Amino acid sequence: MAATEAVRVPALLYGTAWKKEKTRELVRQALLAGFRGIDTAAQPKHYREDLVGQGIADAVRETGIKRGDVYIQTKYTSVNGQDRSNMPYDATSSITDQVRASVASSLRHFAPTVEDPEQAYIDCLVLHSPLPTQSQTLEAWQTMESFVPEHVRTIGVSNVYHLPVLSALHDFASIKPTVVQNRFYRDTGYDKDIRAFCEEKGMTYQSFWTLTANPDLLRSQPVQHIAACVGVTIPVALYGLVLSLGNTSIMDGTTNVEHMNADLNGVQAVQSWLRANDEKAAEVQKVFAALLE
């Protein structure tokens, strides 16, 4: 696969943070419910990446799902985000060696998802956050680039809330980021400038903490209106409106199988309603967009 070839990012990705020993079964259930995107990280402090790989392998064995049907996204997490007693690399090694060891660990965890372990790959490798210095960030990025396209299809960045930092990384990159994964909430102005930059550069903006961080949006008139018109839950209505901003995907970390199905089906229902009701949809989306100003 060429480094520039597009990799489709699903609208909803199943988020696996803080699932601990339940990770394997929840990932299996998510895939059986219809999720086709899985988000994890090589960060044992908050993720069980090994169980993510096993959960995907379980679903592949049990159903007609193929590895190529599933978008797997993981992350290189710097020392500052790790539990130093349980890390995928030596904390004293160079940034380059840390990234290499982290990716090697991830590929081992995803080996069960393919028949030939040597053919394991990552659909998107994400820099979990910019490092303390620009030079460290750029060193990590260059090392991530070295895995594309053989073992890594695309690369991205997370937790970058200052547009100049993202812009500088984008300018520097030989292989441009394809995704930006950020917390979507009021304190950062809902990333208005960063979302616009993503739109301009063809990057997908990935929203996390979409529900937990936004009780006001959940109570808002546009969300309530969509829920009533479409017949979906309030959280699903918010998901649908965030997705309608364009060029966006959402982390969904529910542990309830019924909610998995309701979220997937409900988001499709909201999108269908928005397409079928142009004038009403435009007004609702206008009011919703104003709440994000």
Side-chain angles (χ1 to χ4, degrees), residues 47-224:
Y47 296 83
R48 286 295 305 271
E49 189 187 60
D50 57 330
L51 297 184
V52 169
Q54 292 172 29
I56 296 170
D58 290 342
V60 167
R61 281 193 298 268
E62 293 177 34
T63 70
I65 299 172
K66 297 181 173 60
R67 167 63 185 91
D69 299 328
V70 183
Y71 173 95
I72 300 177
Q73 178 172 281
T74 193
K75 307 174 189 78
Y76 156 70
T77 307
S78 69
V79 172
N80 291 340
Q82 299 277 6
D83 174 356
R84 287 175 177 262
S85 67
N86 184 16
M87 298 171 59
Y89 54 78
D90 180 352
T92 66
S93 62
S94 69
I95 299 296
T96 295
D97 286 343
Q98 289 177 21
V99 174
R100 288 173 177 166
S102 180
V103 173
S105 174
S106 295
L107 291 171
R108 286 195 298 272
H109 290 157
F110 299 136
T113 67
V114 292
E115 290 186 6
D116 180 358
E118 294 298 319
Q119 300 301 312
Y121 66 94
I122 297 161
D123 291 283
C124 188
L125 174 65
V126 174
L127 179 62
H128 211 156
S129 66
L131 277 70
T133 69
Q134 184 182 36
S135 63
Q136 289 175 321
T137 298
L138 300 184
E139 180 182 351
W141 192 262
Q142 280 189 313
T143 310
M144 289 166 59
E145 289 180 333
S146 70
F147 289 96
V148 180
E150 184 176 359
H151 293 299
V152 171
R153 302 312 194 223
T154 61
I155 50 182
V157 61
S158 182
N159 295 297
V160 53
Y161 298 100
H162 300 287
L163 182 56
V165 175
L166 177 59
S167 180
L169 176 61
H170 191 277
D171 288 345
F172 167 82
S174 297
I175 299 174
K176 306 298 183 184
T178 60
V179 303
V180 174
Q181 183 186 119
N182 274 0
R183 184 182 293 110
F184 180 79
Y185 70 143
R186 180 185 293 170
D187 288 5
T188 58
Y190 299 103
D191 276 342
K192 180 181 178 181
D193 292 342
I194 286 177
R195 287 189 289 110
F197 186 76
C198 288
E199 181 73 27
E200 175 190 348
K201 301 299 183 182
M203 297 182 287
T204 298
Y205 177 85
Q206 296 182 348
S207 164
F208 72 89
W209 274 26
T210 311
L211 303 181
T212 306
N214 293 298
D216 290 343
L217 290 182
L218 288 166
R219 291 190 293 266
S220 69
Q221 186 274 333
V223 171
Q224 299 283 331

